Amino acid sequence: MFRTLSAFLLAIILLAGCRPGRIYEEFHKFDKYTWERFDKVKFEIPVEEAGTEGDIVFTIRHITQYPYPNLPVNIILTTPSGEERILEKDIRLKDENDRFTGSVAGDLWDVEVTLWPGFYFHEAGTYAVEFENLIPKMGIPGLVDIGLYVKKREKK
């Protein structure tokens, strides 16, 4: 019985981890659900083959007690050769009626924002993407994690 249950749980975990088309995916969990003001979060995307094209997507998971209607962030993407692309983004987490947007499961809300659709990885190597929160408080409460994934685009 224990072996059957263990095998079943392992199969569910493996299937849940498979996301077709994603060539990179990573998450950063926050201690005590708080993103401290000057803590930058960095993701490193390994690219093995130049010429890969994909959507770079930012994910946010927060709880219902998140106190703000938005999450302003500064984003710096650095290529393997050192070229930088800077993006300042004000991500709306609530609609005009003050209701959270995104998908919800219990008390957890998930929001996805495509930062660079069809990004062309022109060289092989490690691309770094660094996030800095811009809310002028010492910490942003209510954030469970943020993440980044790259969904590969099929060549036409």
Side-chain angles (χ1 to χ4, degrees):
M1 177 70 179
F2 179 73
R3 282 186 178 168
T4 305
L5 182 60
S6 296
F8 177 73
L9 290 174
L10 181 61
I12 287 175
I13 290 169
L14 290 175
L15 287 174
C18 294
R19 305 226 180 158
R22 291 194 183 179
I23 55 176
Y24 171 82
E25 181 176 47
E26 189 175 344
F27 301 93
H28 175 83
K29 294 196 179 301
F30 294 110
D31 292 335
K32 300 178 185 174
Y33 294 169
T34 302
W35 188 356
E36 298 299 335
R37 174 65 179 103
F38 298 105
D39 288 346
K40 295 178 182 178
V41 177
K42 185 175 183 179
F43 298 97
E44 293 185 343
I45 305 168
V47 175
E48 295 177 9
E49 182 181 331
T52 300
E53 189 175 344
D55 297 333
I56 300 177
V57 181
F58 180 49
T59 66
I60 302 162
R61 176 169 283 173
H62 65 87
I63 58 176
T64 303
Q65 292 77 17
Y66 182 80
Y68 306 109
N70 62 335
L71 176 61
V73 291
N74 187 55
I75 308 155
I76 301 173
L77 181 144
T78 307
T79 67
S81 61
E83 175 190 340
E84 288 186 345
R85 297 186 186 184
I86 299 171
L87 179 64
E88 193 169 300
K89 195 95 169 149
D90 187 23
I91 300 165
R92 303 297 307 169
L93 300 179
K94 289 185 177 181
D95 63 18
E96 60 278 350
N97 297 315
D98 205 35
R99 290 186 299 234
F100 283 116
T101 59
S103 59
V104 63
D107 196 33
L108 295 176
W109 293 85
D110 290 323
V111 176
E112 292 187 354
V113 177
T114 301
L115 300 174
W116 287 282
F119 185 84
Y120 185 74
F121 294 91
H122 63 278
E123 60 186 307
T126 301
Y127 289 73
V129 182
E130 186 175 78
F131 292 87
E132 175 184 15
N133 85 62
L134 297 178
I135 291 182
K137 304 281 183 189
M138 285 313 291
I140 303 174
L143 288 173
V144 178
D145 64 48
I146 60 172
L148 193 72
Y149 72 83
V150 178
K151 183 176 181 183
K152 188 172 185 176
R153 285 196 166 190
E154 297 301 320
K155 294 183 180 180
K156 296 177 183 177

